[in-house]
Amino acid sequence: MAQPLVKKDDDRDEEADYSPFLGIEKGAVLQEARVFNDPQLDPRRCSQVITKLLYLLNQGESFTKVEATEVFFSVTKLFQSKDIGLRRMVYVMIKELSPSADEVIIVTSSLMKDMTSKTDMYRANAIRVLCRITDGTLLTQIERYLKQAIVDKNPVVASAALVSGIHLLQTNPEIVKRWSNEVQEAVQSRAALVQFHALALLHQIRQNDRLAVNKLVSSLTRGSARSPLAQCLLIRYTSQVIRESANNTQTGDRPFYDFLEGCLRHKAEMVIFEAARAITELNGVTSRELTPAITVLQLFLSSSKPVLRFAAVRTLNKVAMTHPTAVTNCNIDMESLISDQNRSIATLAITTLLKTGNESSVDRLMKQITNFMSDIADEFKIVVVEAIRSLCLKFPLKHRSLMNFLSNILREEGGFEYKKAIVDSIVILIRDIPEAKETGLFHLCEFIEDCEFTYLSTQILHFLGIEGPKTSDPSKYIRYIYNRVHLENATVRAGAVSTLAKFGAMVDGLKPRIFVLLRRCLFDTDDEVRDRATLYLNTLGGDGAVVETGADVKEFLFGSLDIPLVNLENSLKNYEASEKPFDINSVPKEVKTQPLTEKKAPGKKPTGLGAPPPGPPSTVDAYEKLLSSIPQFANFGKLFKSSAPVELTEAETEYAVNVVKHIFDGHVVFQYNCTNTVPEQLLENVTVIVDASEAEEFAEVASKPLRSLPYDSPGQTFVAFEKPDGVPAVGKFSNMLRFIVKEVDPSTGEAEEDGVEDEYQLEDLEVVAADYILKVGVSNFRNAWESMGTDFERVDEYGLGPRDSLAEAVNAGTEAVPPNSRSHTCLLSGVYIGNVKVLVRLQFGLDGPKDVAMKLAVRSEDEIVSDAIHEIVASG
Amino acid sequence: MELWPLIKNILILDSEGKRIAVKYYSDDWPTNAAKEAFEKSVFTKTQKTNARTEAEITMFDDYIVVYKFVQDLHFFVTGGENENEIILAAVLQGFFDAVGLLLRGTVDKKEALENLDIILLCIDEIVDGGIILETDANVIAGKVASHSMDAGAPLSEQTITQALATAREHLTRSLLK
């Protein structure tokens, strides 16, 4: 039906290219804008010029400050004209120019005149413009007019004032709040949109007063005859009230549920849908409450309007996550949506079915999906693949048909992301469903026979190397793996060699045959492949003798490197070939903070093959290992706590330094992590000179300088202090970075012979009492709290000053703070230095409008410690 | 969920995805480049669909986009992920029909560009800073028409010939410049 129309467009192509703005140029239009200054204004001409200016802005052109100011001033001249159409364009133009405060003054009087004009259109628009560009000072002057406008009998004027009020509430709440009475009156207006805007503003004014919102909602839900939009608002506010009251009343019927249910019978679709969605999102909704909502949504599923079908299927999809049985009634309608023209709807229908489907319907469903998969885009296919994965985990018995499906789609055309999603899913199924392992591995083997993505091939080979040898018949995988050595690029060949070696190491029976294959790889054209083959032949004892593979060899083959690869790469780059072999222990283990520019895939959980890189082992372990490897610090005993790094330099300075405070019983070690950000410099003999004159209890005992600090490769230098045993000594340290700087020729990378000694001032560092507290979890806080007794309890109250909400005040909360709650209790436990257990109960309360008060109760095994905690809080 | 329905943007693109008129109400796209990137992906994702009889809908990058095409013009209205789809569709329909009324049924790129002032005023009357002002096409068209037509003649009373005359006048004026 639409086809002929499209055709017609094609026919008159050259004509369609005509545009009144063809060849338009900013400079010329700005020239034209001079007509605004003519003593005899031509309204039509001026309107056209404004349209051109707006066209330029709309196309993304921007005016310089000077140009904008000039245009603004000439536009203000147009207020002289009485032409209504022109005035209308002037309003739009002023809003687009968003003039600065001193420019606003120029138009204020003109706009204020329009605000009191007899013409409704002038009043409405002048209000919108003025409120958009004004700041608070002017607002008091025009407040009187705005209040009048809110109750104006012309709905357009009233709406303009109310909407402006909603915007102004963000910046000038105290003024807008004074309009309450007028807004209240407007809520009763008979004009549909006025009611909608008034309700939005009234709720916004009262939103922090829970009782008032409650009253507003209960008075309005009793009335009727409202515009659909206003009714939607009321539904939103009602469900907010329900959410909040649920915290207090645990039992009994849900208040306002009847109102929501009544809205399901409203005549406007948007209201019906809003109510249905609100019901499905109620906290702990019961299936009895759900039923009527599901029924109306089910009706929407067969609507002729795509928007309705989409809205319904999307909501049902969400419901299916928590209440799959409630949605099963809609399954027949859902199934017919699989062939929906709109692929978003079809995909949502499929994934919903996959969630609600029972074991018996899986096979039928898979058949339908197979037809569907061929004509949707990759992004939708990925969603389906993920849904199938979870279905398979839910019904492991069905793994055969689901795995088959996955392997079929794996063989079809598809982009990298899609293929990766499939491979990830198969890998997860192999891991979680033992029976699926052999078939899954077999499918993967088939896939790499004809896989265009090097990344996936190598990942699968790696996975085969781990899982393959553990299967009942490892030998059958060898053929697939060795084929890679013949047919693939160097990266995949090298991966295949490593996988072969893993089979050799794990399966003694295969060793001789693996050695034959590895020996053939010695003639590969690529260095890496040959090197790997040689290495594995030697480590596995490939000289013919079949020997038990040693544990260290296995560790070498299968173990993971505990050094960050970036650091290793840097150290290798800096290593100069010499007699001295490269020492892997010299590689810094400190993980360099990732540059901020690196974006995390939003909300995407690492799954399957993407997951392997395990985070650095708990930092405490890493630090402990690091420190104990330094002889000077070896006798300090057990590491009690390491602080988070504290930056001692501004961002983007020549040398970036942060410090980690390591607390021992009788010592404190400062670990300075230094990074040299100047490519033309090499720093040598880097030390930090610490002045501890403001930290009396500390005495410097040892330091470990950093021999060399090349560009962009982080290094560490340490300074150790002795302090009284077990005492939480505090103090302030000033730091100075001292080093010998050598110029580096950027072209050759070679450093000059002679260096100059230099110093660099760092920021001060403090050791505070909080450094002596270690966070430990307590499984049952109440028991621990009560067994601790009140002997050394210290209770005090603190005012935290104004905060917007409790969530902002509670940083280290035990759980998320529900929005708008009036109080919150936070339980903390920890160990103070000297192994003194400490428990803290924090109670927060809202005191007055926005003041947060905190009651802090501390119990510990030692009176001094309890006091110390209070001190920390009082000073923090 | 937002406390009231919020519109993130309103777009009219041509059949190649180029801008006719756009208005953004959200800071989600701070630069012109970001806006153009959004328009490009909206256009490519929807161009193959048939949104000529009923408004269509899609969801991507956490936005809900409802859209409708006529001739070589593509109309879009975007809302947040949690927005009531039917409200967005009501805004789109109001916009679409109002433009149809104001351009007297001849809705295509050429007409739209020649009457860009009307289109811009129309957008201005539908949404203010993301808040819906009006969704009834007749009211919107009435508000725009009452002060952009000559002699303030009500829309219904202008004949097609008159309208064509106005259009021709528009055309010659812009050609002569």
Side-chain angles (χ1 to χ4, degrees), chain A residues 1-3 5-6 8-9 12-13 15-21 32 42 44-45 47-48 51-52 54-55 57-61 83-86 88-89 91-92 95-96 121 125 128 132 156 159-160 163-164 166-167 170 193 196-197 200-201 203-204 207 229 232-233 236-237 239-240 243 269-271 273-274 277 281 300 304-312 314-315 318 341-342 344-345 379-380, chain B residues 1-6 15-16 18-23 25 32 36 39 45 49-50 52-60 62 64 66-67 70-73 80-92 108-110 112-118 120-136 139 143-144 146-150 166 169-175 177:
Chain A
M1 172 170 75
Q3 281 329 94
L5 292 178
V6 179
K8 194 170 126 211
D9 291 347
R12 26 167 265 185
D13 221 18
E15 201 189 330
D17 265 357
Y18 160 78
S19 150
F21 302 104
E32 273 186 75
D42 174 355
R44 284 202 93 132
R45 181 95 204 280
S47 279
Q48 278 165 1
T51 309
K52 284 186 185 176
L54 288 171
Y55 174 81
L57 287 171
N58 222 289
Q59 293 296 318
E61 189 87 58
D83 187 276
I84 297 184
L86 177 59
R88 194 70 183 75
M89 295 306 283
Y91 292 139
V92 175
K95 277 195 277 188
E96 284 298 320
M121 192 276 299
N125 279 290
R128 281 173 61 199
R132 169 66 54 86
V156 181
S159 278
V163 170
S164 300
I166 297 175
H167 293 309
Q170 319 294 329
L193 269 296
F196 165 61
H197 296 133
L201 181 54
H203 176 265
Q204 196 64 2
Q207 62 172 342
L229 278 172
C232 286
L233 280 188
R236 288 189 191 185
Y237 302 152
S239 42
Q240 190 192 7
R243 258 200 308 281
E269 281 155 349
M270 68 168 77
V271 177
F273 174 66
E274 187 78 43
R277 191 171 68 161
E281 284 169 3
F300 280 7
S304 64
K305 294 182 190 158
V307 173
L308 285 188
R309 295 198 300 274
F310 178 91
R314 191 160 78 108
T315 310
K318 276 192 204 136
Q341 285 273 315
N342 184 318
S344 301
I345 295 175
E379 49 180 309
F380 293 136
Chain B
M1 200 199 323
E2 302 288 349
L3 284 175
W4 54 75
L6 272 184
S15 53
E16 284 154 21
K18 287 212 233 36
R19 265 183 207 169
I20 302 294
V22 298
K23 182 77 191 167
Y25 305 101
N32 190 48
E36 278 175 349
E39 286 156 32
K45 273 179 206 296
T49 53
N50 183 354
R52 288 173 188 276
T53 41
E54 287 286 355
E56 277 290 346
I57 183 165
T58 187
M59 182 179 169
F60 71 95
D62 302 339
I64 301 278
V66 290
Y67 56 98
V70 59
Q71 301 279 18
D72 49 359
L73 287 182
E81 184 187 16
N82 294 319
E83 203 43 78
N84 181 330
E85 292 90 340
I86 301 164
I87 294 182
L88 295 178
V91 174
L92 175 74
D108 60 19
K109 179 180 171 184
K110 188 161 150 277
L113 282 173
E114 270 165 11
N115 296 290
L116 189 67
D117 49 346
I118 290 182
L120 292 173
L121 289 177
C122 206
I123 296 178
D124 188 59
E125 288 294 356
I126 291 172
V127 174
D128 183 291
I131 301 174
I132 299 168
L133 276 180
E134 181 58 75
T135 58
D136 184 326
V139 179
K143 281 203 268 182
V144 174
S146 66
H147 36 77
S148 63
M149 288 301 148
D150 295 318
T166 326
E169 201 184 338
H170 259 276
L171 185 85
T172 37
R173 277 171 166 280
S174 34
L175 280 177
K177 249 171 281 159

Side-chain angles (χ1 to χ4, degrees), chain A residues 227-289:
Chain A
S227 79
L229 278 172
Q231 192 77 354
C232 286
L233 280 188
L234 195 52
I235 291 170
R236 288 189 191 185
Y237 302 152
T238 306
S239 42
Q240 190 192 7
V241 169
I242 295 177
R243 258 200 308 281
E244 281 159 7
S245 57
N247 293 340
N248 307 333
T249 54
Q250 295 290 339
T251 53
D253 274 350
R254 216 187 276 274
F256 300 119
Y257 173 80
D258 291 343
F259 166 71
L260 292 182
E261 207 210 326
C263 290
L264 295 175
R265 291 184 291 274
H266 199 275
K267 56 183 186 307
E269 281 155 349
M270 68 168 77
V271 177
I272 299 174
F273 174 66
E274 187 78 43
R277 191 171 68 161
I279 290 175
T280 64
E281 284 169 3
L282 290 174
N283 282 337
V285 63
T286 63
S287 33
R288 193 172 56 86
E289 287 169 325

Side-chain angles (χ1 to χ4, degrees), chain A residues 694-720:
Chain A
E694 284 179 69
E696 285 156 9
E697 287 175 285
F698 294 86
E700 185 169 335
V701 286
S703 69
K704 182 178 179 291
L706 180 62
R707 207 165 40 82
S708 127
L709 183 65
Y711 164 63
D712 206 23
S713 135
Q716 295 109 25
T717 167
F718 300 85
V719 180

Side-chain angles (χ1 to χ4, degrees), chain A residues 566-575 582 586-588 713:
Chain A
V566 193
N567 297 1
L568 179 62
E569 187 189 346
N570 272 328
S571 304
L572 281 170
K573 272 187 194 152
N574 296 321
Y575 172 71
F582 179 76
S586 70
V587 179
S713 135

Side-chain angles (χ1 to χ4, degrees), chain A residues 333-497:
Chain A
D333 305 83
M334 288 275 184
E335 279 182 35
S336 59
L337 288 183
I338 295 178
S339 53
D340 199 293
Q341 285 273 315
N342 184 318
R343 302 284 74 185
S344 301
I345 295 175
T347 312
L348 283 166
I350 289 258
T351 48
T352 313
L353 283 169
L354 289 174
K355 281 174 205 148
T356 58
N358 48 28
E359 205 149 353
S360 57
S361 66
V362 166
D363 292 312
R364 191 165 47 94
L365 205 53
M366 295 319 291
K367 206 179 255 168
Q368 276 174 312
I369 295 176
T370 316
N371 301 329
F372 162 83
M373 287 300 267
S374 54
D375 55 20
I376 54 170
D378 271 10
E379 49 180 309
F380 293 136
K381 289 181 183 169
I382 293 173
V383 178
V384 175
V385 166
E386 276 160 9
I388 289 186
R389 175 171 74 211
S390 26
L391 183 70
C392 191
L393 293 174
K394 200 162 108 197
F395 303 123
L397 286 177
K398 286 285 164 198
H399 73 86
R400 205 172 301 278
S401 68
L402 293 169
M403 191 66 105
N404 254 332
F405 175 80
L406 289 176
S407 80
N408 281 337
I409 54 173
L410 194 54
R411 262 182 253 128
E412 278 158 20
E413 288 294 301
F416 173 72
E417 289 299 328
Y418 174 44
K419 289 288 163 88
K420 184 168 177 294
I422 304 172
V423 170
D424 283 350
S425 298
I426 295 183
V427 166
I428 287 171
L429 297 185
I430 291 174
R431 282 200 186 134
D432 291 2
I433 306 171
E435 306 84 59
K437 188 171 177 176
E438 304 243 340
T439 39
L441 285 177
F442 182 68
H443 289 316
L444 291 179
C445 283
E446 293 245 291
F447 175 59
I448 55 171
E449 289 273 77
D450 182 25
C451 170
E452 55 188 311
F453 305 108
T454 302
Y455 174 83
L456 289 181
S457 292
T458 50
Q459 296 289 312
I460 290 174
L461 283 169
H462 176 78
F463 186 67
L464 276 176
I466 295 167
E467 295 295 332
K470 297 185 213 155
T471 55
S472 59
D473 182 13
S475 65
K476 70 176 176 199
Y477 300 105
I478 302 293
R479 178 172 65 89
Y480 295 101
I481 299 165
Y482 189 62
N483 278 346
R484 301 301 102 226
V485 180
H486 285 301
L487 302 167
E488 294 279 358
N489 61 39
T491 314
V492 179
R493 291 204 303 276
V497 167

Side-chain angles (χ1 to χ4, degrees), chain A residues 591-736:
Chain A
V591 183
K592 216 164 77 174
T593 41
Q594 296 285 313
L596 285 172
T597 46
E598 207 172 39
K599 244 175 61 187
K600 267 193 178 165
K604 215 177 163 189
K605 267 187 273 165
T607 43
L609 292 174
S618 82
T619 44
V620 179
D621 287 353
Y623 284 138
E624 202 158 11
K625 232 173 169 179
L626 181 71
L627 290 171
S628 59
S629 69
I630 300 166
Q632 289 100 309
F633 311 142
N635 57 354
F636 285 179
K638 187 162 164 34
L639 178 62
F640 174 73
K641 184 194 176 180
S642 298
S643 73
V646 182
E647 296 296 335
L648 294 182
T649 51
E650 303 274 319
E652 290 165 28
T653 45
E654 296 126 292
Y655 315 113
V657 180
N658 65 43
V659 66
V660 178
K661 295 173 273 187
H662 301 290
I663 312 289
F664 293 87
D665 252 2
H667 296 87
V668 176
V669 175
F670 297 140
Q671 172 188 340
Y672 296 91
N673 301 311
C674 315
T675 314
N676 170 10
T677 61
V678 188
E680 297 84 20
Q681 285 186 1
L682 171 70
L683 306 188
E684 288 193 346
N685 232 344
V686 183
T687 53
V688 177
I689 309 300
V690 185
D691 177 8
S693 51
E694 284 179 69
E696 285 156 9
E697 287 175 285
F698 294 86
E700 185 169 335
V701 286
S703 69
K704 182 178 179 291
L706 180 62
R707 207 165 40 82
S708 127
L709 183 65
Y711 164 63
D712 206 23
S713 135
Q716 295 109 25
T717 167
F718 300 85
V719 180
F721 286 87
E722 197 170 38
K723 65 170 188 64
D725 240 4
V727 173
V730 293
K732 194 171 176 185
F733 303 82
S734 59
N735 308 291
M736 175 84 80

